[in-house]
Amino acid sequence: MGKSARAAKADAAKRAGEPKVQIGAIPYRHRPDGAVEIMLVTTRETQRWIVPKGWPIRGLKGHEAAAREAMEEAGLLGEIGKKPVGRYIYWKRRTRDFVLCKVRLYLLVVKDQLPSWPEQDQRRSQWFTQADAADLVDEPALGAILRGLKLDKA
């Protein structure tokens, strides 16, 4: 094996151990009384509460892909922030194994929810207080991010 082939193989092995990147949205709204609510969705397999998230989408920037995930998983439309507000790492459960993923999170100020959306029959979605949302997610780092967000009305 030539030097360049060995180097390519070593690079591929190194990449295999690195976390896979995902993007996610933190959808939130203010109730008329000023309280903040965050929408969580369930995973398809285990019905755990999570924020809408998924793999990067070719041709879309991270924040645009996060907005698309929120629309596909919960029918949400709104204003997405362009800069990530947090990152966390978790083990994604798959049928036969687990994959280490690093999720970049973007805030989504929800303006509307569509009457129907692509994954409506595969997931539940529900609004929670900020504190309850932080307590309901399984990933401690995601819970800490949700708990620490300053989402007061400006």
Side-chain angles (χ1 to χ4, degrees):
M1 184 179 324
K3 185 178 177 183
S4 63
R6 274 195 306 272
K9 191 174 180 182
D11 284 347
K14 194 160 101 177
R15 279 194 307 276
E18 293 175 3
K20 306 293 183 215
V21 174
Q22 288 193 309
I23 46 80
I26 299 174
Y28 77 98
R29 69 181 183 187
H30 290 94
R31 293 192 317 220
D33 66 3
V36 173
E37 292 182 314
I38 293 175
M39 179 171 279
L40 298 179
V41 298
T42 56
T43 61
R44 285 187 259 205
E45 299 288 318
T46 61
Q47 297 295 302
R48 292 175 301 113
W49 290 110
I50 60 169
V51 295
K53 66 182 179 339
W55 304 109
I57 301 170
R58 188 180 307 267
L60 295 183
K61 294 180 178 167
H63 67 281
E64 295 167 333
R68 166 100 45 101
E69 291 297 332
M71 186 281 298
E72 290 177 356
E73 295 182 10
L76 301 177
L77 301 175
E79 240 175 80
I80 191 82
K82 289 188 163 100
K83 299 242 187 270
V85 295
R87 292 175 167 79
Y88 72 98
I89 293 179
Y90 81 106
W91 287 98
K92 179 176 180 58
R93 300 173 192 187
R94 297 197 305 191
T95 307
R96 292 194 167 96
D97 61 0
F98 291 84
V99 177
L100 188 61
C101 295
K102 182 188 334 185
V103 184
R104 287 192 317 255
L105 296 167
Y106 298 86
L107 286 178
L108 175 68
V109 182
V110 176
K111 305 291 186 194
D112 200 11
Q113 186 173 27
L114 298 170
S116 64
W117 54 90
E119 297 181 19
Q120 185 170 6
D121 296 331
Q122 300 168 36
R123 304 173 184 274
R124 290 181 297 136
S125 58
Q126 187 173 328
W127 290 104
F128 295 98
T129 65
Q130 188 172 352
D132 286 347
D135 288 343
L136 285 167
V137 294
D138 275 350
E139 293 84 16
L142 175 57
I145 291 167
L146 294 178
R147 197 170 284 107
L149 289 172
K150 304 290 184 230
L151 300 173
D152 301 327
K153 276 194 173 177

